[in-house]
Amino acid sequence: MTFLEAMSKKRLFCDGGMGTILQERGLKAGELPETWNLSHPDAITAVHRAYLEAGSDIITTNTFGANALKYPDDLRQVVTAAVRCAQTARDEAARPDAYIALDLGPTGKLLKPMGDLDFEKAVALFSETARIGAEAGADLILIETMSDSYEAKAAVLGAKEGCDLPVLITLIFDEKGKLLTGGTVDSACAMLEGLRVDALGVNCGLGPKQMLPIVKRLREISSLPLIVNPNAGLPRSENGKTVFDVNPAEFADCMAELASLGVSIMGGCCGTTPEHIRHTVAACQDLPFTQPVKKHRTVVCSFSQAVEIGGAPVIIGERINPTGKSKFKEALRENRMEYILNEGLTQEDNGAHILDVNVGLPGIDEPAMMERVVTGLQSVTALPLQIDTSDYTAMERGMRLYNGKPMLNSVSGKRESMEAVFPLVRKYGGVVVGLALDESGIPDTAEGRVAIAKRIYETAEAYGISRDDIVIDALAMTISSDSGSALVTLETLRRIRDELQGHTILGVSNISFGLPQREIINANFYTMALQNGLSCAIINPNADAMMRSYRAFLALSDRDPQCAGYIAAYGGQAAVEKAQPAGAPLPLGETIEKGLREHAAKATAELLQAMAPLEVVNTELIPALDRVGKGFEKGTVFLPQLLMSAEAAKAAFEVVKDAMKGEATEKKGTIILATVKGDIHDIGKNIVKVLLENYGYEVMDLGKDVPPESIVLAAEQNGVALVGLSALMTTTVVSMEATIRLLRERCPQTKIVVGGAVLTPEYAESIDADFYARDAMATVHCAQKVLG
């Protein structure tokens, strides 16, 4: 029976922790676990065998950190040996029905533009490991412990491009249901379902009880089989050893509750043992097994926001488009990204839910420009994007590099169009705008347009694309040349809603082309279209008339409880203020909050003409960073925006420094940062560094995989008052504890702050750290306490 067949027929049980068991069997602090595939194959095989004997149906290879960054010379040997150990265990345990999952963990790096790892390089790293594992005989791919949706996408694409095995993925959420880089359960689920993984779920970071609300939400929104591999509760340190607080019986009781939600694959992560799995199998194997139910949802998402189409009408901002916009054309030709990004931010401020991105212009390299604009926008806004192009190369470039599940504008009923677009949607995921036209042109009747919509639905289904991921453009044609065209469009909207139960979209302003005072026609037609079932509208959200129409419709159709949105927009105002046009000068604080580097530098230079440099820092720069930091802590600002704001502040600081040349400047103090020995994951450390530097602290970054002696020596030689230590993996926390012990001996006055996915406040206290930082802003607060 193939793995996919088995997963569809019964609940399967995964194995549990590997690293924590290897530590008990002699894995030294800082020693790479994957090297044991070559040096201690019998020990690896024994762990696999123990899990199989405990009832595991799936054993994961000891390849969590196996990629060419960590193993540039012997990756093939390490991965092949890992699969061989699992195969040997399966034979020895007489479990031919068990499956071997090639384990792919994170690279430990943050992807561009937030970090320094190129997206395509990340795809290639995962692809290489997947290819080797498949050749060695793995049955499936399990991507695990992903805390960044962009790296998760790179891993899925890499796995699928490297082999044809089933691909499963689990992510690591915090108790608020957030990924490290701001992703939510809804946004991550939409993206991964769009990428067509075979199952998805959660692992690590939390115990089974803490995972319950996350799994409940996943079950509500996901149509895929769910995987749950929790830790054995929360870690703590006892006599220099990491232990977990949930025993096998307690673990199994919690897992039974999760099984009742319809989880298809259950296992464990850090701290779990064969006994945890044995108890879980006994508690869950006879519970009713149900197939996941198809959720008919139409969802577009960015890395952190999911927009569902089919409830309240969705506004798609139309301003990132050169058609009829001379300034925008000029910005494209001159590659003035900040003008383009500010167009997006202005539309966000004025109520857009999704941003249309069209960069097609004669003489421009559209694929390259699409890449720059899509990645640039995603670094300053969390709004989902609609990739709008007729250039299929640009379309694929934008879809591939997009961090989420985009809208795609568009496909038509023409055979050539569908053959070009649907394979891209099948591979990358997306909600597609289907134009109700074909080789014969645009039908004059609603009946003709509905017939094309049906054909688009049917062809999409043949490519494995659900009609839920199709939104039909009923086509708004100008009434100046055909006075009955609006009526045809409105009838088409009604019929698609009532007869096909489909979703619709319109480029609303097309209706008024060639007429004076176009906003009058546009706004009234918009209201009529909404009344007739319009799901999404491509409009200018900066236009007051359009937004009045939208908000009034919501209030009148009982989609704005207590008219709260209407009142928030217009209460107490004699008139709505005109939106600030893109390209207009912005206050310095706003440029920092929006992450606009060039604008920040320019605004700082202008302020310095009237204010002293330190006054600019203290009254403008630091307060803006504080506002962004508070937003991050509240969950209203996400990591990409946090980092881009820091970059904008850095640009402003550079202008201030130039103005202060020759003057004595205040030094707040020096902080050492390091990822501890044995750990190559420096995502968190690098984020912390950026923020600390922007708050005026000098940072000595010792890098990753740093021995305790090196950290202590640097602290001694530089007399630092604060050391920050980072670790992602349970197996390397022992190195963190060893570093702290040595610092206490030789630098007793130095304060220590620790952070990382596997840590908790209680664990930090148990290893004698002074502070626990759950995120980058918390580290800044620690620095302020210690250094001022």
Side-chain angles (χ1 to χ4, degrees):
M1 186 186 301
T2 68
F3 172 75
L4 293 180
E5 289 172 338
M7 185 172 64
S8 71
K9 294 179 179 179
K10 61 178 182 178
R11 181 173 291 109
L12 299 176
F13 295 93
C14 206
D15 55 9
M18 172 66 78
T20 44
I21 293 178
L22 294 184
Q23 282 180 316
E24 294 177 355
R25 300 189 181 188
L27 181 72
K28 298 176 182 176
E31 188 177 4
L32 298 178
E34 297 83 12
T35 60
W36 274 40
N37 298 332
L38 299 171
S39 61
H40 299 76
D42 291 345
I44 302 299
T45 299
V47 175
H48 289 319
R49 188 172 62 248
Y51 279 120
L52 290 169
E53 291 169 350
S56 295
D57 302 297
I58 304 166
I59 49 174
T60 52
T61 58
N62 183 35
T63 52
F64 178 83
N67 59 62
L69 291 178
K70 191 186 289 190
Y71 298 97
D73 301 319
D74 53 356
L75 179 64
R76 178 168 290 276
Q77 296 95 307
V78 167
V79 173
T80 301
V83 176
R84 189 182 304 120
C85 288
Q87 290 170 328
T88 301
R90 181 168 60 183
D91 292 341
E92 292 178 354
R95 285 290 309 277
D97 60 330
Y99 301 95
I100 296 171
L102 181 74
D103 192 353
L104 296 182
T107 62
K109 287 184 168 291
L110 204 57
L111 273 62
K112 294 177 180 178
M114 290 188 290
D116 58 2
L117 181 60
D118 182 76
F119 180 82
E120 294 296 354
K121 174 64 174 177
V123 172
L125 289 169
F126 289 114
S127 183
E128 183 180 10
T129 303
R131 183 172 56 256
I132 295 170
E135 291 171 355
D139 301 305
L140 63 137
I141 306 292
L142 175 60
I143 302 164
E144 64 151 308
T145 320
M146 287 290 163
S147 58
D148 174 17
S149 62
Y150 206 29
E151 185 173 28
K153 178 171 182 174
V156 172
L157 288 177
K160 286 179 172 286
E161 292 174 0
C163 68
D164 59 0
L165 298 178
V167 176
L168 285 61
I169 185 167
T170 56
L171 304 112
I172 177 170
F173 292 97
D174 62 20
E175 289 192 61
K176 295 180 180 179
K178 292 287 184 69
L179 300 176
L180 171 68
T181 50
T184 64
V185 174
D186 286 47
S187 64
C189 179
M191 183 193 76
L192 293 170
E193 288 197 346
L195 290 168
R196 287 167 175 75
V197 298
D198 295 290
L200 59 82
V202 288
N203 82 292
C204 202
L206 302 171
K209 281 186 179 178
Q210 293 83 3
M211 283 186 178
L212 189 60
I214 296 171
V215 176
K216 283 182 177 178
R217 181 57 185 164
L218 276 173
R219 188 68 291 158
E220 290 171 359
I221 62 176
S222 178
S223 302
L224 294 178
L226 296 186
I227 314 164
V228 180
N229 290 332
N231 288 347
L234 302 176
R236 65 179 188 277
S237 180
E238 287 185 2
N239 302 319
K241 179 182 176 182
T242 301
V243 297
F244 290 79
D245 61 4
V246 176
N247 65 40
E250 294 169 331
F251 185 86
D253 288 342
C254 294
M255 294 298 277
E257 184 176 1
L258 290 166
S260 68
L261 297 176
V263 175
S264 297
I265 299 176
M266 316 192 76
C269 200
C270 300
T272 56
T273 66
E275 280 306 300
H276 286 82
I277 302 304
R278 191 185 312 280
H279 280 73
T280 298
V281 172
C284 301
Q285 65 181 349
D286 294 329
L287 296 177
F289 172 75
T290 56
Q291 290 267 26
V293 177
K294 171 70 176 175
K295 311 298 191 303
H296 293 286
R297 303 175 72 239
T298 302
V299 181
V300 181
C301 74
S302 67
F303 66 92
S304 65
Q305 287 190 18
V307 173
E308 184 168 1
I309 296 169
V314 171
I315 295 173
I316 303 172
E318 68 180 7
R319 300 294 298 170
I320 304 176
N321 188 319
T323 304
K325 305 179 186 72
S326 57
K327 288 185 178 179
F328 193 89
K329 290 178 181 177
E330 183 182 333
L332 281 177
R333 290 197 175 99
E334 297 177 359
N335 197 28
R336 286 193 284 115
M337 284 298 300
E338 294 227 342
Y339 180 94
I340 299 168
L341 301 186
N342 198 34
E343 280 282 10
L345 291 168
T346 302
Q347 292 181 96
E348 179 179 18
D349 290 344
N350 288 310
H353 306 120
I354 298 170
L355 299 178
D356 183 77
V357 180
N358 185 319
V359 295
L361 201 62
I364 202 170
D365 183 346
E366 188 175 350
M369 182 56 74
M370 182 65 76
E371 175 180 333
R372 284 196 291 273
V373 174
V374 165
T375 55
L377 280 167
Q378 289 210 296
S379 67
V380 298
T381 177
L383 291 188
L385 304 181
Q386 174 172 270
I387 297 169
D388 184 356
T389 179
S390 57
D391 182 323
Y392 298 133
T393 302
M395 184 179 288
E396 180 166 18
R397 185 83 67 89
M399 294 176 76
R400 185 174 178 87
L401 295 174
Y402 182 73
N403 188 0
K405 180 185 178 185
M407 279 195 87
L408 192 63
N409 193 6
S410 56
V411 69
S412 72
K414 296 179 180 180
R415 177 64 52 187
E416 177 186 7
S417 174
M418 292 188 285
E419 289 177 350
V421 173
F422 285 148
L424 298 180
V425 179
R426 171 75 186 172
K427 179 173 183 177
Y428 299 110
V431 171
V432 192
V433 174
L435 304 178
L437 62 86
D438 60 12
E439 287 84 355
S440 299
I442 301 172
D444 295 329
T445 65
E447 184 176 357
R449 297 181 192 183
V450 170
I452 293 174
K454 290 179 179 177
R455 194 183 318 137
I456 291 172
Y457 285 145
E458 291 167 0
T459 307
E461 292 281 1
Y463 281 88
I465 299 165
S466 169
R467 60 187 293 145
D468 298 324
D469 283 335
I470 305 292
V471 178
I472 299 297
D473 190 336
L475 300 175
M477 310 301 294
T478 179
I479 57 172
S480 63
S481 59
D482 179 358
S483 59
S485 65
L487 298 177
V488 174
T489 299
L490 295 173
E491 183 184 351
T492 305
L493 293 175
R494 283 195 303 273
R495 292 186 62 175
I496 290 172
R497 176 192 63 187
D498 298 340
E499 297 175 16
L500 305 183
Q501 289 76 54
H503 302 308
T504 52
I505 187 170
L506 285 176
V508 174
S509 62
N510 293 340
I511 201 73
S512 64
F513 186 77
L515 293 174
Q517 298 290 321
R518 294 181 63 188
E519 66 275 9
I520 298 173
I521 295 291
N522 292 346
N524 283 280
F525 177 65
Y526 185 26
T527 301
M528 295 171 72
L530 290 170
Q531 183 64 31
N532 283 276
L534 181 65
S535 309
C536 314
I538 305 173
I539 65 170
N540 177 9
N542 307 338
D544 296 335
M546 300 302 286
M547 295 308 294
R548 287 173 185 152
S549 175
Y550 173 77
R551 294 187 180 110
F553 175 79
L554 292 184
L556 292 166
S557 62
D558 195 22
R559 302 186 192 192
D560 183 10
Q562 289 79 51
C563 300
Y566 184 88
I567 292 169
Y570 306 119
Q573 294 181 218
V576 181
E577 293 183 8
K578 189 72 176 176
Q580 181 170 280
L586 296 173
L588 176 56
E590 190 172 342
T591 68
I592 291 172
E593 290 179 61
K594 291 185 172 183
L596 299 173
R597 286 178 54 89
E598 294 175 14
H599 284 62
K602 184 177 179 180
T604 302
E606 292 173 355
L607 277 177
L608 286 171
Q609 296 177 14
M611 297 171 65
L614 285 179
E615 187 180 359
V616 172
V617 172
N618 292 327
T619 63
E620 296 287 338
L621 290 177
I622 296 300
L625 277 174
D626 285 341
R627 288 194 296 274
V628 174
K630 289 176 182 177
F632 178 70
E633 291 171 336
K634 292 178 181 177
T636 57
V637 171
F638 301 99
L639 184 60
Q641 290 97 330
L642 180 71
L643 294 181
M644 291 304 293
S645 294
E647 289 298 316
K650 186 183 295 185
F653 272 118
E654 290 301 319
V655 177
V656 171
K657 287 179 185 177
D658 287 342
M660 295 178 67
K661 282 181 178 176
E663 296 183 26
T665 57
E666 178 188 6
K667 296 289 185 181
K668 287 188 175 181
T670 301
I671 301 166
I672 286 176
L673 296 180
T675 300
V676 298
K677 183 173 177 57
D679 205 318
I680 65 163
H681 300 84
D682 58 1
I683 293 175
K685 172 184 67 63
N686 293 343
I687 295 168
V688 169
K689 178 183 177 182
V690 170
L691 288 191
L692 286 172
E693 288 178 339
N694 276 281
Y695 274 85
Y697 300 102
E698 185 176 344
V699 176
M700 290 183 62
D701 184 357
L702 302 184
K704 58 194 176 187
D705 190 19
V706 186
E709 296 78 10
S710 300
I711 297 170
V712 173
L713 182 61
E716 286 178 327
Q717 292 177 342
N718 295 278
V720 298
L722 181 63
V723 170
L725 303 176
S726 173
L728 177 73
M729 300 185 297
T730 306
T731 53
T732 59
V733 176
V734 289
S735 295
M736 180 180 282
E737 187 173 6
T739 303
I740 292 173
R741 281 200 303 270
L742 198 58
L743 279 167
R744 295 298 185 214
E745 293 173 9
R746 291 166 48 180
C747 306
Q749 302 306 313
T750 298
K751 300 295 183 183
I752 302 162
V753 56
V754 298
V758 296
L759 296 177
T760 64
E762 295 76 18
Y763 195 98
E765 182 179 0
S766 72
I767 60 176
D768 201 25
D770 296 291
F771 306 103
Y772 163 74
R774 66 177 299 273
D775 55 40
M777 280 307 303
T779 310
V780 171
H781 297 326
C782 293
Q784 291 169 334
K785 289 178 183 177
V786 175
L787 298 170

